[in-house]
Amino acid sequence: MTTVAEAPPVIRNRRLSRPVAFAAIAAIFVTFTAASAAPSPLYVVYQHLWGFSATTLTVVFAVYVVGLIGSLLMLGALSDHVGRRPVLAAAIALEAASLVLFLTAGDVTVLLVARLLQGIATGAALTTLGAALVDLNPPHAPGRAGLINGIAPTAGLAVGALGCGALVQFAPEPTHLVWALLLAGMLLSGVVVARLPETSIRRPGAVASLSPRLGVPARLRGDLLALVPVIVASWAIGGLYLSLGPSVAAAELGLTNHLVGGLVVTLLCGTGAITSYAMRSVPTPRVLTLAAALLTAGSLISVAGVEWSNIAVAAIGTVISGIGFGASALASFGTLAVLAAPHERGELFAVALTIAYIAFSVPAVIAGFAATSVGLHRTTLVYGLVVAVLAAAALTAQRLRARIS
């Protein structure tokens, strides 16, 4: 009697469930922002190895920002047309390429190319990830996507800076190990994206969407403009800490430990992430007012700590600023998450992130060049005072808006 061999089972590439996909997107978001913060504690190491100036360091920072903002302008709305998964897959591939360059870098030129590619990849990823979170938001928790969009950037920056600082201080091969670990994380992210469900319907106009532009539907412009002052103030102080924070800690406060250099960034961003979660149930107008007030106070206290070379005062100012940073991220991105229609999400998040990263980068780049000519101490003081003025303007704007409404 002959038997017929059974056909092998068909292996299907089943998509992740929506709750699992939501958690996966949040994890990828944190991975991208952690990778973007990783160079901060390493800048001092690269300077020592390759002997470049503070101006060159500023150029490395600026190149990343040019790539990121250019990506936001050109690619921010692309996922609204071709889908979230293709854009995420391309961003992950480009990020992986940049991490390979970081891993093998032997001079400033390779470092510049790696940072440029990383900026482009990060800009494409962040808008798409933010929109995908809103697409997958659980119906029983309507504010969860806005919460994660507020927490993920600050949490990622904190994890990246602290983790890299610890590896640089205690682990072997400080300029290689961190990039190898991040590369592994990015490859895993690519595997996850292959299993994600597509959440955006394909629409015509993909090529036209690549034209650099910042478009906001007329009905949303007033809400976005009301958020601009506090977004600018909070991300400007973030730029100071990520670009010059470790250098200020070493030169002005005598903290030369690389872990402490990363901790400076983590103290701001980690506090911000915790604050975003803790304030998730507080009414948005109140959160915005608190954010502006705390950013004002924190900036002034941090300036006083640097002026007096007092580590405790500077740390207190950083924590207060971090609370303001987190409150701002929660309220601003949470507001945008509930305002935008599905076909508007990618573009609206691109606009908001462009504003945030211009505020994050342009003052920091100016400060980097100023530090070379007038000194790090004076530059830090002026920068901190400018942020305090911006935050005070944001506080005034929130109070005026509250009276009008």
Side-chain angles (χ1 to χ4, degrees), residues 10 25 34 37 83 160 163 173 182 197 221 236 238 244 265 277 281 293 299 326 331 358 379 387 403:
V10 177
I25 288 290
E173 300 293 334
L182 286 169
R221 287 172 191 165
L244 297 178
V265 178
Y277 182 78
S281 300
S299 299
I358 287 175
T379 299
V387 170
R403 290 177 184 175

Side-chain angles (χ1 to χ4, degrees), residues 358-397:
I358 287 175
F360 175 84
S361 59
V362 173
V365 170
I366 294 172
F369 287 112
T372 303
S373 56
V374 303
L376 186 61
H377 181 81
R378 185 179 299 178
T379 299
T380 304
L381 297 183
V382 172
Y383 195 123
L385 291 173
V386 169
V387 170
V389 171
L390 289 171
L395 180 60
T396 303

